[in-house]
Amino acid sequence: MKKSLQFVIVVFLMQQYTAAQTFDTIWGNRFQEVLDSVRAANNIVGASASVLVPGEGIWTGVSGYSVPFPPPQILLTPEMRLGIGSNSKLFTAVVMAKLQEEGVLSLDDHLYQWLPAYQFVDSSITIRQLLSHQSGIFNFTDNGNFWNVVHADTGRFWTPEEVLDYLGAPYFEPGTGWRYSNTNYILAGMIIEAATGETWVQKLHDIIFDPLGMDSTFVGAYEPPNGPVAGTQWWGGGGPWYTSPITSVFSSCGPVGSIFSTSQEMVQWYHALFSGELLS
């Protein structure tokens, strides 16, 4: 998944908190100073950061721009949704783990138990190997022609099967190595749908978004934005700025990296996950 020029920064400290509590003004000002200085020093277009502190609640700060070039030049605001990129993978993995807890599937199931055969995909690979990048499957985003096609028609909606057409030979036999591959999570999304009879997007809502009240979080290209969206641009700059999810990018990346959210909801999500609210 290519990166945009905006970033979501999340820091949290584990313990109970109440969002309505008042965050210390002195610390808030210091956090804002650091955020501004780091953004400027690294030439980052815009950044949104949230910090959860026990007994004080959540501080959120923004710095820089949503769209930096006039006309119009648009400042970044706290309520703007930003693409969280490959942090989306953790959401997909948690859905899988929850489905195992519910007895719907096992992380040790093999691909052949849920999916048809695909070229360059060893059907003996397990779900666990997908989620931990031990499958050896070729990373479709390493195929240079894939990005050329995605760039050529930004309005195209991609299916997972179309993405799998860009695979090459595996890197290694399943379970014999480790290599990051976005393809693993395309297949994970397909398994979620095969196992539940519902879309992986719906299962995100059922298992994570809705129970946690994440009403500022949505899946780009698969559902309409539920609020203002920060501008995005292809990494490297020079291209146009988009103020809504780019259909070809976020449909093709799906469960790999298509979630949009705010830093406030990200800090709440991580707190809920690591405090045991979602999984045993």
Side-chain angles (χ1 to χ4, degrees), residues 68-86:
F69 305 119
Q73 193 176 49
I74 303 171
L75 288 170
L76 191 66
T77 60
E79 67 272 11
M80 285 182 174
R81 283 69 165 152
L82 292 90
I84 69 168
S86 285

PDB file of all heavy atoms in Angstrom, residues 68-86:
ATOM      1  N   PRO A  68      -2.323  21.240   0.354  1.00  0.00           N
ATOM      2  CA  PRO A  68      -1.368  22.322   0.572  1.00  0.00           C
ATOM      3  C   PRO A  68      -1.297  23.381  -0.516  1.00  0.00           C
ATOM      4  O   PRO A  68      -0.754  24.449  -0.278  1.00  0.00           O
ATOM      5  CB  PRO A  68      -0.036  21.568   0.651  1.00  0.00           C
ATOM      6  CG  PRO A  68      -0.240  20.391  -0.246  1.00  0.00           C
ATOM      7  CD  PRO A  68      -1.678  19.998  -0.085  1.00  0.00           C
ATOM      8  N   PHE A  69      -1.825  23.071  -1.701  1.00  0.00           N
ATOM      9  CA  PHE A  69      -1.613  23.990  -2.807  1.00  0.00           C
ATOM     10  C   PHE A  69      -2.893  24.731  -3.169  1.00  0.00           C
ATOM     11  O   PHE A  69      -3.920  24.112  -3.445  1.00  0.00           O
ATOM     12  CB  PHE A  69      -1.092  23.238  -4.031  1.00  0.00           C
ATOM     13  CG  PHE A  69       0.148  22.448  -3.749  1.00  0.00           C
ATOM     14  CD1 PHE A  69       0.153  21.074  -3.902  1.00  0.00           C
ATOM     15  CD2 PHE A  69       1.296  23.076  -3.318  1.00  0.00           C
ATOM     16  CE1 PHE A  69       1.304  20.337  -3.639  1.00  0.00           C
ATOM     17  CE2 PHE A  69       2.452  22.355  -3.056  1.00  0.00           C
ATOM     18  CZ  PHE A  69       2.449  20.985  -3.212  1.00  0.00           C
ATOM     19  N   PRO A  70      -2.874  26.050  -3.199  1.00  0.00           N
ATOM     20  CA  PRO A  70      -4.047  26.799  -3.648  1.00  0.00           C
ATOM     21  C   PRO A  70      -4.153  26.730  -5.177  1.00  0.00           C
ATOM     22  O   PRO A  70      -3.161  26.474  -5.841  1.00  0.00           O
ATOM     23  CB  PRO A  70      -3.740  28.226  -3.189  1.00  0.00           C
ATOM     24  CG  PRO A  70      -2.238  28.280  -3.125  1.00  0.00           C
ATOM     25  CD  PRO A  70      -1.774  26.898  -2.782  1.00  0.00           C
ATOM     26  N   PRO A  71      -5.352  27.015  -5.723  1.00  0.00           N
ATOM     27  CA  PRO A  71      -6.600  27.191  -4.964  1.00  0.00           C
ATOM     28  C   PRO A  71      -7.368  25.883  -4.855  1.00  0.00           C
ATOM     29  O   PRO A  71      -7.375  25.132  -5.821  1.00  0.00           O
ATOM     30  CB  PRO A  71      -7.348  28.215  -5.808  1.00  0.00           C
ATOM     31  CG  PRO A  71      -6.903  27.950  -7.216  1.00  0.00           C
ATOM     32  CD  PRO A  71      -5.484  27.441  -7.127  1.00  0.00           C
ATOM     33  N   PRO A  72      -8.078  25.598  -3.741  1.00  0.00           N
ATOM     34  CA  PRO A  72      -7.918  26.327  -2.488  1.00  0.00           C
ATOM     35  C   PRO A  72      -6.935  25.583  -1.588  1.00  0.00           C
ATOM     36  O   PRO A  72      -6.809  24.368  -1.663  1.00  0.00           O
ATOM     37  CB  PRO A  72      -9.329  26.292  -1.913  1.00  0.00           C
ATOM     38  CG  PRO A  72      -9.859  24.945  -2.361  1.00  0.00           C
ATOM     39  CD  PRO A  72      -9.231  24.664  -3.704  1.00  0.00           C
ATOM     40  N   GLN A  73      -6.256  26.302  -0.739  1.00  0.00           N
ATOM     41  CA  GLN A  73      -5.394  25.694   0.268  1.00  0.00           C
ATOM     42  C   GLN A  73      -6.255  25.383   1.491  1.00  0.00           C
ATOM     43  O   GLN A  73      -6.949  26.259   1.991  1.00  0.00           O
ATOM     44  CB  GLN A  73      -4.262  26.656   0.629  1.00  0.00           C
ATOM     45  CG  GLN A  73      -3.143  26.042   1.429  1.00  0.00           C
ATOM     46  CD  GLN A  73      -2.017  27.027   1.660  1.00  0.00           C
ATOM     47  OE1 GLN A  73      -2.261  28.159   2.075  1.00  0.00           O
ATOM     48  NE2 GLN A  73      -0.787  26.624   1.379  1.00  0.00           N
ATOM     49  N   ILE A  74      -6.233  24.131   1.933  1.00  0.00           N
ATOM     50  CA  ILE A  74      -7.158  23.693   2.982  1.00  0.00           C
ATOM     51  C   ILE A  74      -6.369  23.212   4.197  1.00  0.00           C
ATOM     52  O   ILE A  74      -5.512  22.336   4.083  1.00  0.00           O
ATOM     53  CB  ILE A  74      -8.063  22.557   2.480  1.00  0.00           C
ATOM     54  CG1 ILE A  74      -8.841  23.007   1.228  1.00  0.00           C
ATOM     55  CG2 ILE A  74      -9.034  22.122   3.574  1.00  0.00           C
ATOM     56  CD1 ILE A  74      -9.596  21.873   0.548  1.00  0.00           C
ATOM     57  N   LEU A  75      -6.655  23.783   5.362  1.00  0.00           N
ATOM     58  CA  LEU A  75      -6.012  23.352   6.601  1.00  0.00           C
ATOM     59  C   LEU A  75      -6.572  22.008   7.058  1.00  0.00           C
ATOM     60  O   LEU A  75      -7.749  21.701   6.852  1.00  0.00           O
ATOM     61  CB  LEU A  75      -6.222  24.389   7.703  1.00  0.00           C
ATOM     62  CG  LEU A  75      -5.451  25.703   7.566  1.00  0.00           C
ATOM     63  CD1 LEU A  75      -5.947  26.710   8.600  1.00  0.00           C
ATOM     64  CD2 LEU A  75      -3.952  25.465   7.730  1.00  0.00           C
ATOM     65  N   LEU A  76      -5.734  21.215   7.703  1.00  0.00           N
ATOM     66  CA  LEU A  76      -6.176  19.961   8.302  1.00  0.00           C
ATOM     67  C   LEU A  76      -6.939  20.272   9.584  1.00  0.00           C
ATOM     68  O   LEU A  76      -6.542  21.145  10.357  1.00  0.00           O
ATOM     69  CB  LEU A  76      -4.970  19.079   8.619  1.00  0.00           C
ATOM     70  CG  LEU A  76      -5.245  17.631   9.012  1.00  0.00           C
ATOM     71  CD1 LEU A  76      -5.844  16.865   7.840  1.00  0.00           C
ATOM     72  CD2 LEU A  76      -3.948  16.958   9.474  1.00  0.00           C
ATOM     73  N   THR A  77      -8.042  19.566   9.819  1.00  0.00           N
ATOM     74  CA  THR A  77      -8.842  19.749  11.027  1.00  0.00           C
ATOM     75  C   THR A  77      -9.003  18.406  11.738  1.00  0.00           C
ATOM     76  O   THR A  77      -8.881  17.345  11.116  1.00  0.00           O
ATOM     77  CB  THR A  77     -10.228  20.325  10.696  1.00  0.00           C
ATOM     78  OG1 THR A  77     -10.925  19.416   9.827  1.00  0.00           O
ATOM     79  CG2 THR A  77     -10.098  21.681  10.002  1.00  0.00           C
ATOM     80  N   PRO A  78      -9.272  18.411  13.058  1.00  0.00           N
ATOM     81  CA  PRO A  78      -9.332  17.158  13.824  1.00  0.00           C
ATOM     82  C   PRO A  78     -10.379  16.170  13.343  1.00  0.00           C
ATOM     83  O   PRO A  78     -10.207  14.966  13.510  1.00  0.00           O
ATOM     84  CB  PRO A  78      -9.642  17.631  15.250  1.00  0.00           C
ATOM     85  CG  PRO A  78      -9.145  19.038  15.302  1.00  0.00           C
ATOM     86  CD  PRO A  78      -9.393  19.595  13.933  1.00  0.00           C
ATOM     87  N   GLU A  79     -11.480  16.675  12.752  1.00  0.00           N
ATOM     88  CA  GLU A  79     -12.551  15.761  12.345  1.00  0.00           C
ATOM     89  C   GLU A  79     -12.315  15.141  10.973  1.00  0.00           C
ATOM     90  O   GLU A  79     -13.080  14.267  10.537  1.00  0.00           O
ATOM     91  CB  GLU A  79     -13.899  16.479  12.353  1.00  0.00           C
ATOM     92  CG  GLU A  79     -14.059  17.569  11.311  1.00  0.00           C
ATOM     93  CD  GLU A  79     -13.559  18.921  11.795  1.00  0.00           C
ATOM     94  OE1 GLU A  79     -12.907  18.962  12.863  1.00  0.00           O
ATOM     95  OE2 GLU A  79     -13.825  19.926  11.112  1.00  0.00           O
ATOM     96  N   MET A  80     -11.257  15.535  10.277  1.00  0.00           N
ATOM     97  CA  MET A  80     -10.988  14.965   8.961  1.00  0.00           C
ATOM     98  C   MET A  80     -10.534  13.521   9.077  1.00  0.00           C
ATOM     99  O   MET A  80      -9.677  13.173   9.878  1.00  0.00           O
ATOM    100  CB  MET A  80      -9.929  15.787   8.229  1.00  0.00           C
ATOM    101  CG  MET A  80     -10.444  17.111   7.690  1.00  0.00           C
ATOM    102  SD  MET A  80      -9.149  18.015   6.788  1.00  0.00           S
ATOM    103  CE  MET A  80     -10.120  19.389   6.163  1.00  0.00           C
ATOM    104  N   ARG A  81     -11.110  12.672   8.228  1.00  0.00           N
ATOM    105  CA  ARG A  81     -10.711  11.269   8.178  1.00  0.00           C
ATOM    106  C   ARG A  81      -9.459  11.148   7.313  1.00  0.00           C
ATOM    107  O   ARG A  81      -9.387  11.724   6.226  1.00  0.00           O
ATOM    108  CB  ARG A  81     -11.811  10.414   7.570  1.00  0.00           C
ATOM    109  CG  ARG A  81     -12.994  10.109   8.496  1.00  0.00           C
ATOM    110  CD  ARG A  81     -13.838  11.314   8.794  1.00  0.00           C
ATOM    111  NE  ARG A  81     -15.135  10.928   9.364  1.00  0.00           N
ATOM    112  CZ  ARG A  81     -15.829  11.676  10.179  1.00  0.00           C
ATOM    113  NH1 ARG A  81     -15.376  12.866  10.571  1.00  0.00           N
ATOM    114  NH2 ARG A  81     -16.995  11.277  10.625  1.00  0.00           N
ATOM    115  N   LEU A  82      -8.479  10.395   7.788  1.00  0.00           N
ATOM    116  CA  LEU A  82      -7.256  10.147   7.049  1.00  0.00           C
ATOM    117  C   LEU A  82      -7.121   8.660   6.764  1.00  0.00           C
ATOM    118  O   LEU A  82      -7.533   7.823   7.573  1.00  0.00           O
ATOM    119  CB  LEU A  82      -6.028  10.620   7.828  1.00  0.00           C
ATOM    120  CG  LEU A  82      -5.872  12.132   8.032  1.00  0.00           C
ATOM    121  CD1 LEU A  82      -6.548  12.567   9.325  1.00  0.00           C
ATOM    122  CD2 LEU A  82      -4.398  12.518   8.059  1.00  0.00           C
ATOM    123  N   GLY A  83      -6.537   8.340   5.619  1.00  0.00           N
ATOM    124  CA  GLY A  83      -6.261   6.941   5.337  1.00  0.00           C
ATOM    125  C   GLY A  83      -5.239   6.396   6.318  1.00  0.00           C
ATOM    126  O   GLY A  83      -4.193   7.007   6.518  1.00  0.00           O
ATOM    127  N   ILE A  84      -5.530   5.251   6.929  1.00  0.00           N
ATOM    128  CA  ILE A  84      -4.601   4.684   7.913  1.00  0.00           C
ATOM    129  C   ILE A  84      -3.688   3.636   7.284  1.00  0.00           C
ATOM    130  O   ILE A  84      -2.910   2.991   7.979  1.00  0.00           O
ATOM    131  CB  ILE A  84      -5.345   4.100   9.126  1.00  0.00           C
ATOM    132  CG1 ILE A  84      -6.140   2.850   8.737  1.00  0.00           C
ATOM    133  CG2 ILE A  84      -6.239   5.153   9.763  1.00  0.00           C
ATOM    134  CD1 ILE A  84      -6.651   2.071   9.924  1.00  0.00           C
ATOM    135  N   GLY A  85      -3.791   3.464   5.959  1.00  0.00           N
ATOM    136  CA  GLY A  85      -2.874   2.569   5.254  1.00  0.00           C
ATOM    137  C   GLY A  85      -2.910   1.153   5.788  1.00  0.00           C
ATOM    138  O   GLY A  85      -3.963   0.599   6.115  1.00  0.00           O
ATOM    139  N   SER A  86      -1.727   0.570   5.923  1.00  0.00           N
ATOM    140  CA  SER A  86      -1.645  -0.842   6.302  1.00  0.00           C
ATOM    141  C   SER A  86      -1.965  -1.111   7.762  1.00  0.00           C
ATOM    142  O   SER A  86      -1.991  -2.272   8.178  1.00  0.00           O
ATOM    143  CB  SER A  86      -0.267  -1.395   5.951  1.00  0.00           C
ATOM    144  OG  SER A  86      -0.177  -1.597   4.554  1.00  0.00           O
TER     145      SER A  86
END
